[in-house]
Amino acid sequence: MAAAAVAAPEVLRECGCKGIRTCLICERQRGGDPPWQHPPQKTHRFIYYSDTGWAVGAEESDFEGWAFPFPGVTLIEDFVTREEEAEMVQLMDREPWKLSQSGRRKQDYGPKVNFRKQKLKTTGFRGLPSFSREVVRRMGLYPILEDFRPVEQCNLDYCPERGSAIDPHLDDAWLWGERLVSLNLLSPTVLSMSREAPGSLLLCLAPSGFPEALVEGVMAPSRSVLCQEVEVAVPLPRRSLLVLTGAARHQWKHAVHRRHIEARRICATFRELSAEFCPGGRQQELGQELLQISLSFQGRPM
């Protein structure tokens, strides 16, 4: 069962790319030099350490040994077992996957939303899938998620044969709330975070004994780097749960680069409602309806 779940999906000849987004399938079909240009890599790479909450300059880089605090990232390793992972993927693969942008496939469990017009419809939405009931229950055992009630689940399927990736982006904040929660299945990867805001980040020289020593404190900032030149790599182990809040949710864009997809990977992302749809908000009644549907766990992909 586990072996069947891990096997890479068959590579199809068509893709779901539109506009400037591409994958290996359409790049091969078009041939020659592409008329589009991929964004250049950031100049300075930092690595996020979940046990300290700091981002530290990569080895053999200009900022090796220099660090800055990177709040808003919570990583819970081994959130599900290997057996649970295999069962979840097997159930996902029983449902149809839709072609999506940049070599991905997707399954959506949520309302139909027009973010540009800020309108949504519940027609056809029957809730999250039944196999997510235990996942959501287990989330509530952690303090950061004890009141987390998702109204949408999006499964994204990545594979290296398609050149799957996702461009840097911020998730919507009109409908979706403070916490973005993602379950990383089948293979490890890296979430790359970048920020286009002007200004600089103040760096501290990491003390000897890193990363443990960062918990005790660091020296005063004595160096800086331009925000727009920084990329923070957040390693995501297989079967880990990632929670983004605060600045990591609203200010730092997140992406998964093609080079970081080395085997089939499925990411199940869960989203909660924004304040506008919660009690006291302008659309609280609609929010309550969405929650009742979502947490019935009777859903099929939209």
Side-chain angles (χ1 to χ4, degrees):
M1 176 170 153
V6 174
E10 181 182 358
V11 179
L12 304 178
R13 294 185 178 181
E14 64 273 15
C15 73
C17 296
K18 299 177 183 178
I20 63 171
R21 293 180 175 86
T22 68
C23 67
L24 286 178
I25 305 300
C26 59
E27 289 170 12
R28 288 169 181 155
Q29 291 175 344
R30 297 178 188 183
D33 295 329
W36 59 91
Q37 289 187 352
H38 296 290
Q41 294 186 26
K42 295 291 183 178
T43 306
H44 305 296
R45 188 167 185 262
F46 288 73
I47 313 298
Y48 176 78
Y49 288 83
S50 60
D51 50 352
T52 65
W54 284 67
V56 181
E59 293 184 1
E60 299 183 0
S61 72
D62 291 342
F63 291 96
E64 179 178 0
W66 293 86
F68 64 95
F70 196 74
V73 178
T74 300
L75 191 66
I76 303 170
E77 297 193 33
D78 296 315
F79 185 77
V80 295
T81 65
R82 287 184 176 271
E83 293 74 21
E84 290 170 332
E85 173 191 53
E87 182 178 6
M88 288 178 65
V89 173
Q90 185 181 62
L91 291 171
M92 289 178 187
D93 284 341
R94 288 180 181 175
E95 300 287 356
W97 290 92
K98 291 184 179 180
L99 291 173
S100 186
Q101 302 269 36
S102 303
R104 305 185 304 275
R105 301 190 303 167
K106 67 178 180 179
Q107 294 173 338
D108 286 320
Y109 296 84
K112 294 181 180 179
V113 185
N114 185 321
F115 291 105
R116 184 174 59 85
K117 296 183 179 180
Q118 294 193 344
K119 293 183 178 181
L120 63 85
K121 296 180 180 179
T122 60
T123 306
F125 178 36
R126 295 170 53 190
L128 302 190
S130 59
F131 58 82
S132 292
R133 185 186 297 270
E134 171 58 22
V135 173
V136 173
R137 185 203 67 81
R138 192 174 300 174
M139 289 178 185
L141 301 179
Y142 295 84
I144 193 172
L145 294 173
E146 60 184 0
D147 60 346
F148 183 73
R149 297 189 295 170
V151 294
E152 194 247 16
Q153 176 179 337
C154 179
N155 301 332
L156 292 180
D157 181 27
Y158 297 73
C159 72
E161 292 82 4
R162 284 184 172 274
S164 300
I166 192 165
D167 290 343
H169 67 283
L170 291 172
D171 279 40
D172 168 78
W174 161 68
L175 178 59
W176 307 136
E178 173 62 19
R179 292 164 291 190
L180 296 179
V181 182
S182 297
L183 181 60
N184 186 55
L185 302 174
L186 295 183
S187 65
T189 191
V190 174
L191 190 73
S192 298
M193 307 195 70
S194 57
R195 188 175 177 182
E196 299 303 324
S200 300
L201 293 167
L202 297 180
L203 306 178
C204 300
L205 185 61
S208 59
F210 174 82
E212 294 80 3
L214 280 177
V215 178
E216 303 297 329
V218 295
M219 297 171 58
S222 55
R223 199 173 177 188
S224 65
V225 59
L226 291 176
C227 244
Q228 297 178 348
E229 295 182 354
V230 168
E231 182 174 83
V232 177
V234 181
L236 301 181
R238 180 176 177 176
R239 301 190 310 278
S240 64
L241 190 78
L242 175 74
V243 184
L244 298 181
T245 62
R249 155 74 169 100
H250 298 288
Q251 299 175 16
W252 289 80
K253 294 182 178 181
H254 55 276
V256 177
H257 299 313
R258 183 182 293 182
R259 64 182 180 274
H260 292 142
I261 299 297
E262 298 180 353
R264 188 186 183 193
R265 176 214 180 209
I266 292 178
C267 174
T269 296
F270 301 81
R271 298 178 174 92
E272 64 182 344
L273 290 170
S274 67
E276 180 173 335
F277 296 85
C278 292
R282 188 170 61 89
Q283 301 196 62
Q284 61 177 349
E285 293 183 0
L286 179 54
Q288 184 59 37
E289 179 186 358
L290 289 170
L291 278 172
Q292 289 177 349
I293 297 173
S294 171
L295 300 181
S296 70
F297 296 100
Q298 299 178 13
R300 297 287 303 276
M302 297 287 288

